[in-house]
Amino acid sequence: MTAAAEGSPPLRATRSRGGPLLQSEQAQGMALISPTFLYALVLLAVPILVVIAHSFWTQNYLTIDRTFTLENYRVTLTEPIYRDLLFRSLYISLVVSFVTVILAYPIAYFISFHGGSRKNLWLFLITIPFWTSYLLRVMSWKVILGYGGVLNSGLMGLGVIDEPSTAFLYNTTAVIITLTHAWAAFAILPIFVSLEKVDRTLLEAATDLGDGPIRRFLRITLPLSMPGVISALMIVMIPTVGDYVTPRLVGGKDGVMIANAIQAQFGKASNWPLGAALSVTTMVIVTAMAGITVFILRWAARRAR
Amino acid sequence: MIEIAGVTRSYGAFKALDDTSLSIREGEFFSLLGPSGCGKTTLLRMIAGFDTPTSGSIAIDGQPMDGIAANRRPTNMVFQSYAIFPHLNVAQNVAYGLKRLRLDAGEEKRRVEEALAQVSLSGLGSRGATELSGGQRQRVALARALVMRPKVLLLDEPLSALDKKLREQMQVELRRLQQAVGITFVLVTHDQYEALAMSDRIAVMFGGRIAQVAAPKEIYQRPVNRQVADFLGGMNFVKAEIVEESGASIIVETHGFGRVKTDKPQAFVRNGKAATLGIRPERLRVLWDDATSSHQVTGKVVDRHYFGEITHLIVEVPGLEKPLSVSETNNFGADDIPVGAAIRLAYDPDALVAMAD
Ligand SMILES: Nc1ncnc2c1ncn2[C@@H]1O[C@H](COP(=O)(O)OP(=O)(O)OP(=O)(O)O)[C@@H](O)[C@H]1O
Ligand SMILES: [Mg+2]
């Protein structure tokens, strides 16, 4: 009784003292982030709203008719050319993201588990290609994959082929190769981070309980690094769908992607509403594809137990 | 059961473990006790197979373990951090090692439940690994190892992360569990009370070497040297001179305690004539009023520390270079003895132990 009576006043005191403190801390936090937050919100939301609005309007030569219509979406979803471009873009981004992650995982694994004291050096080396501009990197792939390029002369030197092949450049494969290379570092980093977070004693515990290196990897390391794998997939998948430069430079006719079509609508064809509808459709489909991928991977990880 | 023969583990020029030999018996609760950095974990990890000796060999159950990987050894380990798999629930954690045995589902479930019952966690099988208290995590780690029915269970400071109450409770439970399952337990600890309370035998280690291997009582009462004596609790050290050394006994001459004949400690290495005589503070008793004893010393109280159920008296005895520390229970009023009082202390000559310097 006495203890309770004695205990309550200080309790109340701390509470009433804690309240305003918390509020002011929150207020301070809000005040601190608000300029950046507003800036980001404006830059993100306004263009999207503008695009969404346009997608329901119609282009009349130089003016825009602002009556609501779904015509642009009908064209987007039924015109074979846009459907093909959309599918190709999704296919390319899916392949690129999975190939990138599959190639990035062993590198991240090596750095995390065998990098020793030189982990930072390894990470630094990985960023070196980014010292040159993206355009230059894409151009160098042109040099490698082109008609008189490194790959062709190498294969001819080895006697594998007699004359230069045109099969390497200006097609979907070239786009996939170039994008995979371009995004590798972005995939390595999140996987590396999640591998670093795997407690090494868990691996010893798994070994202690009878697992060899492969089972241990499949049962402990892989599931625990899944968050990194998923974010790597998303980081690569989402932007590659809308990539514009790479298909333009190394894609040729076969490698054209949806972003090139969107650019054409906003540019030469001067049909902003159709371009907007293509953009919105792409956004929705990419979101759905990303969501489904995450869902499937999570489900698979749970099943694997 | 476990034969460790001349094992050394070097890191460069530094020897974390130096020519250590040890024999652990089947079914015993064995503790490796020593201060931080003395090589306890190093030795345990070599038994488990996570580390290999630079030289020397380890055999378990008559089988040499050279070249046998950790996942093929008949040992299981309870890690200091427990190493509970965070993406699995309690039952999945416990069943982890069983999966490889491909038991049928009913048998696997039965063994998991049995193991959970052994550590009093029945019914918690579907809890997530992150939803457990420290004590519960410790029990899951224990169940996960026990369910494998290893020949040897290795425990690296399993109780050090628990609070005092829980730690004492788990000491009793671990001891009971070990007796129930009959598996050889090898426990690493730096807590001497833990080692004394739980073990059948204790190895005390210092700086990569084993100083003494014996049963708890023997280690506490007959430490081989000052280091061991000190590590296991308070001890009064008195300078002594060896008068006679013969077979199993030794006679030393001291100032305060006169001429004393004691059993020779194991591994006694004579170092000239100098030796040390030791007596634990609680083996000195205050003599009240006109009670006398045939073995007593007289001194003056110079300081007093009150600890609730006991009082520590610091008593200056003429002829001794350092005052004696006396631990006396308070039911006769030791807490009322004033500083400066002259008192007499009785002792049992059997409580005196001669040690190498
Ligand atoms: N990988 C290593 N490289 C160099 N020295 C090491 C290594 N591992 C352990 N040591 C050293 O070996 C000695 C014994 O270490 P060990 O971990 O066995 O100590 P311990 O008795 O378990 O101590 P604690 O009670 O603190 O856990 C320590 O001095 C430690 O610094
Ligand atoms: Mg240790």
Side-chain angles (χ1 to χ4, degrees):
Chain A
M1 278 306 283
T2 349
E6 275 166 8
S8 47
L11 204 68
R12 225 178 287 127
T14 42
R15 228 181 257 148
S16 59
R17 233 182 292 131
L21 184 75
L22 200 68
Q23 270 173 15
S24 75
E25 245 175 43
Q26 269 177 351
Q28 274 178 6
M30 291 303 252
L32 274 176
I33 65 160
S34 59
T36 343
F37 181 66
L38 285 177
Y39 183 69
L41 192 72
V42 168
L43 281 193
L44 186 73
V46 172
I48 288 182
L49 288 177
V50 170
V51 168
I52 291 175
H54 269 86
S55 70
F56 295 111
W57 296 337
T58 316
Q59 186 90 33
N60 273 332
Y61 292 106
L62 294 175
T63 59
I64 284 189
D65 174 3
R66 296 201 168 148
T67 46
F68 179 86
T69 172
L70 287 174
E71 176 62 14
N72 297 313
Y73 285 100
R74 195 194 60 75
V75 174
T76 302
L77 295 174
T78 54
E79 277 289 322
I81 171 77
Y82 299 130
R83 236 183 22 213
D84 288 354
L85 284 182
L86 205 54
F87 275 127
R88 183 189 293 161
S89 301
L90 295 178
Y91 164 77
I92 288 178
S93 83
L94 210 59
V95 172
V96 167
S97 51
F98 274 91
V99 171
T100 309
V101 166
I102 288 167
L103 293 179
Y105 200 98
I107 299 173
Y109 186 90
F110 173 83
I111 299 174
S112 180
F113 282 83
H114 305 287
S117 55
R118 286 191 294 275
K119 278 179 195 172
N120 287 332
L121 177 69
W122 281 109
L123 290 177
F124 173 73
L125 289 178
I126 281 169
T127 63
I128 282 186
F130 293 86
W131 293 9
T132 61
S133 99
Y134 179 56
L135 274 179
L136 281 180
R137 271 177 285 140
V138 179
M139 294 307 272
S140 58
W141 274 107
K142 259 176 121 157
V143 173
I144 294 170
L145 301 171
Y147 187 77
V150 179
L151 191 57
N152 267 321
S153 37
L155 287 176
M156 283 195 325
L158 288 172
V160 181
I161 49 176
D162 294 331
E163 54 186 56
S165 163
T166 54
F168 303 128
L169 195 57
Y170 301 127
N171 54 29
T172 314
T173 318
V175 176
I176 291 176
I177 291 176
T178 310
L179 282 174
T180 303
H181 172 245
W183 287 97
F186 295 102
I188 291 172
L189 289 176
I191 298 174
F192 170 78
V193 169
S194 67
L195 283 172
E196 281 290 283
K197 278 198 281 191
V198 175
D199 182 354
R200 302 307 193 249
T201 42
L202 295 180
L203 303 180
E204 283 189 347
T207 306
D208 187 64
L209 293 166
D211 274 359
I214 296 172
R215 291 176 64 93
R216 185 179 74 186
F217 172 78
L218 292 175
R219 297 177 73 188
I220 305 292
T221 317
L222 189 58
L224 289 179
S225 60
M226 220 45 189
V229 169
I230 289 178
S231 46
L233 272 176
M234 294 303 113
I235 284 175
V236 180
M237 183 184 290
I238 295 171
T240 45
V241 174
D243 195 81
Y244 162 75
V245 180
T246 315
R248 189 67 196 262
L249 289 176
V250 301
K253 240 207 235 90
D254 283 354
V256 177
M257 287 167 69
I258 193 74
N260 304 96
I262 295 172
Q263 191 268 341
Q265 294 307 324
F266 278 101
K268 261 183 287 179
S270 209
N271 189 348
W272 285 33
L274 183 55
L278 285 171
S279 303
V280 173
T281 311
T282 311
M283 267 194 287
V284 170
I285 292 180
V286 169
T287 311
M289 186 168 77
I292 290 169
T293 310
V294 171
F295 180 81
I296 290 176
L297 284 176
R298 290 243 170 94
W299 176 81
R302 237 187 328 253
R303 274 303 299 271
R305 274 164 221 170
Chain B
M1 185 68 188
I2 305 176
E3 296 296 333
I4 296 161
V7 166
T8 298
R9 177 66 171 99
S10 324
Y11 294 105
F14 173 73
K15 285 182 174 162
L17 212 59
D18 190 4
D19 193 17
T20 298
S21 296
L22 189 62
S23 166
I24 298 172
R25 299 175 195 142
E26 179 154 10
E28 82 176 328
F29 198 126
F30 193 91
S31 292
L32 296 170
L33 174 67
S36 186
C38 70
K40 309 177 295 281
T41 300
T42 306
L43 181 55
L44 200 72
R45 290 173 59 82
M46 287 196 291
I47 298 174
F50 293 126
D51 199 354
T52 38
T54 311
S55 65
S57 67
I58 294 173
I60 299 175
D61 211 15
Q63 305 260 7
M65 285 292 128
D66 315 85
I68 297 187
N71 56 336
R72 307 213 175 280
R73 294 197 180 189
T75 59
N76 279 109
M77 184 133 160
V78 175
F79 292 82
Q80 182 166 8
S81 59
Y82 308 146
I84 306 294
F85 304 125
H87 57 305
L88 305 178
N89 68 23
V90 169
Q92 288 166 331
N93 260 286
V94 176
Y96 191 95
L98 294 178
K99 290 278 184 252
R100 204 175 35 92
L101 307 181
R102 303 203 180 287
L103 307 171
D104 63 76
E107 170 72 2
E108 182 183 300
K109 193 154 178 277
R110 202 186 55 70
R111 275 179 68 169
V112 168
E113 268 162 18
E114 180 191 72
L116 284 175
Q118 275 173 340
V119 297
S120 336
L121 277 187
S122 300
L124 283 188
S126 55
R127 271 285 178 90
T130 48
E131 300 160 12
L132 299 172
S133 71
Q136 287 169 332
R137 296 166 71 78
Q138 203 263 334
R139 286 160 200 264
V140 173
L142 203 56
R144 189 175 68 181
L146 281 175
V147 80
M148 303 303 294
R149 298 179 183 159
K151 287 183 178 147
V152 179
L153 188 72
L154 307 169
L155 306 105
D156 191 356
E157 310 211 11
L159 308 181
S160 63
L162 306 180
D163 64 61
K164 187 164 174 284
K165 263 254 170 63
L166 196 55
R167 195 159 64 223
E168 281 164 4
Q169 182 194 339
M170 282 309 295
Q171 284 174 9
V172 177
E173 280 190 43
L174 261 185
R175 178 73 192 152
R176 179 188 54 74
L177 194 64
Q178 192 268 338
Q179 280 164 348
V181 294
I183 293 172
T184 309
F185 275 36
V186 182
L187 173 91
V188 160
T189 178
H190 60 243
D191 180 339
Q192 71 275 19
Y193 297 112
E194 196 168 294
L196 290 172
M198 295 161 80
S199 322
D200 291 317
R201 287 194 307 150
I202 301 172
V204 184
M205 297 177 69
F206 292 103
R209 288 178 163 275
I210 292 181
Q212 187 173 11
V213 183
K217 207 167 153 183
E218 165 97 13
I219 284 241
Y220 186 75
Q221 293 184 352
R222 307 252 146 230
V224 285
N225 59 32
R226 289 180 65 144
Q227 223 177 1
V228 175
D230 228 6
F231 194 75
L232 278 135
M235 175 80 105
N236 293 298
F237 297 111
V238 180
K239 238 192 219 151
E241 202 169 87
I242 299 172
V243 178
E244 196 185 317
E245 186 187 344
S246 63
S249 64
I250 184 167
I251 299 174
V252 295
E253 177 79 42
T254 68
H255 282 304
F257 294 88
R259 189 170 282 232
V260 180
K261 183 177 178 185
T262 73
D263 289 342
K264 198 156 84 180
Q266 42 163 283
F268 185 82
V269 184
R270 192 177 165 150
N271 179 14
K273 280 194 125 186
T276 299
L277 193 69
I279 185 162
R280 299 269 179 211
E282 73 278 8
R283 303 302 292 267
L284 289 163
R285 265 176 307 114
V286 174
L287 283 172
W288 301 101
D289 307 323
D290 47 3
T292 53
S293 164
S294 48
H295 299 281
Q296 63 179 56
V297 288
T298 311
K300 193 176 88 179
V301 177
V302 291
D303 205 354
R304 197 178 66 177
H305 306 290
Y306 178 70
F307 288 103
E309 78 272 31
I310 55 165
T311 294
H312 279 186
L313 299 169
I314 311 298
V315 180
E316 221 167 56
V317 176
L320 292 187
E321 66 273 31
K322 264 177 66 183
L324 293 175
S325 170
V326 181
S327 169
E328 181 67 270
T329 60
N330 284 339
N331 48 348
F332 302 117
D335 45 341
D336 288 332
I337 300 175
V339 170
I343 57 167
R344 287 169 301 124
L345 301 168
Y347 62 91
D348 181 347
D350 282 348
L352 292 166
V353 53
M355 284 167 284
D357 247 349

